[in-house]
Amino acid sequence: MQTLDRSIDDAIADPKTYGDQGRQHELFTQLRAEDPVHWTEPQGYRPFWLVTKHADIIEVEKQQDLFINAPRSKLFSIEFEQEIKQLMQGRPHLVKGLPQMDGLEHKTYRQLTQAWFQPKQVRQLEERIATLAKRSVDDLLARGPELDFYNDVASWFPLRVIMLILGLPASDEERLLRITQAYFGGSDPEVQRGSDLIRATQDYIAYFDGISEERRRNPTDDVASLIANSQIDGKPIGHYEAYSYYIALASAGHDTTSATAAGGLLALMQHPEEWARLKANPALVPAAIDEMVRWVSPVKHFFRTATQDYTLRGKQIRAGDHLLMAYPSANRDEEMFDSPFSFRIDRNPNRHLGFGYGAHACLGMFLAKTELQYLFRELIARVDSFELAGQPAWVQTSFVGGLKRLPVRVRAA
Ligand code: HEM
């Protein structure tokens, strides 16, 4: 039964909602209280069930045969979905990465690179990640005392880490940063820079085609060489699958982590007692990073599609219905978290869904946590205090993102 005003449906699909943190959480709090599995019909979009409770997202995501990924993965307007189908000659996705796959296909493709993202392999890269973190804080202190923490620091560091894993040359940094920001910022007029998602995808393809060709001729020990030279069912990986893999890694590994770094620092500035506690006790850094991911929830959603009729919290889901998993909402769920609107760096337990759940749970989770830990250890050791030097601004996106501007004044330790 529909209990809420229709304007909520439009607000959920509107990227502007996510550019206003207060509004976003006000909406989700109302939905969790009044209609936690809400049939949503935004104008110009195909309808879906909006799943806002922590327990319900887990119930859906753990049943990967009943709720699949491939038919619909992100919230796009009907007009844009049609444009993609036309451009892709009937295929529903511009990019078919792990989040657009199911079953054996998903397992096979995930296993291709999985070892690179497991703790053992990430630990081997720790020294180089630590050097990149140190370099970020060197840059910050050299640029200070006033700078934009998001644009000058947070957006570069995770990009450099993912380039390290992929094995991409440092000289390509600026080009990749521009493409990634256009890829995620498509609905925000300030970060759009005249491109759109299709243009950004084409730019990515042109870039990674060159890398693939080079790595087939001269393979090296990195993830780009692994993808370029991989075999699926005894045949070389296809062009669509290869560029999709590169794009999924480059894009997923970057904006999510920079959004957490900037949003995490803002939270520490807004809670100076937590900054002081962290400085006094660096052993709290790992727990603080988890709290930052919960607090920021940079991934706003992924979809699942039901393969059978199913009852979820009393709502009758039909086979073929789509369900939007609202991670920021799950991460403020009053039934899961004690004082969910308090930022506590030592929150324990902290079973947030910032990295998703189940078979599709974030492949780069350990890498993301490791790099954020190095960055914040470096910050608390070398910075005495941060204060806001202007108004922070959030990117308008219904998919992935966080701050797009964080002006700060830094006092070195
Ligand atoms: C703080 C940073 C990050 C956050 C918050 C985050 C969040 C997420 C979320 C919510 C999902 C979807 C999970 C689901 O469907 O249940 C996901 C999937 C994924 N993430 Fe991350 N991520 C982060 C960093 C990274 C990094 C550094 C990489 C490295 C390349 C990465 C690679 C991926 C990939 C490949 C997937 C698809 C997995 C699949 O469908 O099997 N992510 N991430």
Side-chain angles (χ1 to χ4, degrees), residues 278 281-293 345-347 350 352 355 369-370 372-374 376-377 380:
L278 198 57
N281 186 3
L284 287 174
V285 166
I289 298 303
D290 262 310
E291 180 66 345
M292 290 176 195
V293 175
I345 56 164
D346 56 353
R347 185 176 285 281
N350 191 353
H352 67 79
F355 291 111
K369 288 188 185 191
T370 303
L372 286 164
Q373 287 172 15
Y374 274 104
F376 277 88
R377 276 196 200 104
I380 58 172

Side-chain angles (χ1 to χ4, degrees), residues 163 166-169 172 175-176 204-220 222-225 227-229 246:
M163 288 179 74
L166 282 166
L168 307 176
D172 292 348
R175 182 172 173 195
L176 268 178
Y204 261 142
I205 296 172
Y207 175 74
F208 283 119
D209 276 355
I211 295 287
S212 241
E213 231 171 83
E214 212 270 319
R215 293 309 149 86
R216 282 190 189 120
R217 277 197 310 266
N218 301 307
T220 40
D222 50 46
V223 172
S225 301
I227 296 172
N229 296 294
Y246 290 120

Side-chain angles (χ1 to χ4, degrees), residues 2 37 53 79 88 102 134 141 163 176 183 194 214 226 240 249 252 347:
Q2 187 93 1
V37 179
K53 295 285 287 178
E79 198 185 342
M88 300 303 293
D102 293 296
K134 184 174 173 309
L141 293 173
M163 288 179 74
L176 268 178
Y183 189 78
E214 212 270 319
L226 182 68
Y240 179 47
L249 290 181
R347 185 176 285 281

Side-chain angles (χ1 to χ4, degrees), residues 336-392:
M336 185 62 199
F337 299 100
D338 180 28
S339 305
F341 285 89
S342 300
F343 177 75
R344 295 183 185 157
I345 56 164
D346 56 353
R347 185 176 285 281
N348 181 20
N350 191 353
R351 296 192 193 96
H352 67 79
L353 294 180
F355 291 111
Y357 190 84
H360 286 273
C362 179
L363 179 69
M365 179 176 75
F366 189 74
L367 175 67
K369 288 188 185 191
T370 303
E371 58 188 283
L372 286 164
Q373 287 172 15
Y374 274 104
L375 179 66
F376 277 88
R377 276 196 200 104
E378 202 65 33
L379 287 172
I380 58 172
R382 297 173 62 194
V383 175
D384 181 51
S385 66
F386 281 102
E387 59 184 70
L388 273 178
Q391 201 53 30

Side-chain angles (χ1 to χ4, degrees), residues 160-338:
R160 289 175 185 141
V161 174
I162 196 69
M163 288 179 74
L164 173 74
I165 298 253
L166 282 166
L168 307 176
S171 52
D172 292 348
E173 265 175 24
E174 292 209 9
R175 182 172 173 195
L176 268 178
L177 183 71
R178 239 190 0 262
I179 304 175
T180 306
Q181 288 186 334
Y183 189 78
F184 280 125
S187 41
D188 189 313
E190 264 191 48
V191 286
Q192 204 169 4
R193 296 195 191 98
S195 11
D196 56 20
L197 185 64
I198 292 178
R199 256 266 298 284
T201 307
Q202 286 163 342
D203 289 347
Y204 261 142
I205 296 172
Y207 175 74
F208 283 119
D209 276 355
I211 295 287
S212 241
E213 231 171 83
E214 212 270 319
R215 293 309 149 86
R216 282 190 189 120
R217 277 197 310 266
N218 301 307
T220 40
D221 185 22
D222 50 46
V223 172
S225 301
L226 182 68
I227 296 172
N229 296 294
S230 58
Q231 302 256 327
I232 303 286
D233 296 333
K235 291 190 212 103
I237 189 170
H239 178 237
Y240 179 47
E241 287 73 16
Y243 79 65
S244 294
Y245 217 131
Y246 290 120
I247 295 177
L249 290 181
S251 58
H254 178 210
D255 240 38
T256 48
T257 319
S258 46
T260 307
L265 182 67
L266 176 61
L268 287 170
M269 282 191 281
Q270 290 167 333
H271 301 81
E273 70 295 348
E274 298 296 87
W275 168 255
R277 277 212 301 154
L278 198 57
K279 268 182 83 63
N281 186 3
L284 287 174
V285 166
I289 298 303
D290 262 310
E291 180 66 345
M292 290 176 195
V293 175
R294 182 189 78 87
W295 190 251
V296 176
S297 297
V299 178
K300 314 298 170 202
H301 75 266
F302 267 109
F303 271 97
R304 297 293 187 267
T305 298
T307 56
Q308 293 173 29
D309 292 357
Y310 189 85
T311 306
L312 183 67
R313 209 174 272 271
K315 295 292 173 84
Q316 189 56 58
I317 315 286
R318 303 272 172 215
D321 283 355
H322 307 292
L323 299 91
L324 182 147
M325 308 291 114
Y327 303 117
S329 175
N331 287 342
R332 292 289 194 282
D333 189 339
E334 303 74 4
E335 280 187 342
M336 185 62 199
F337 299 100
D338 180 28

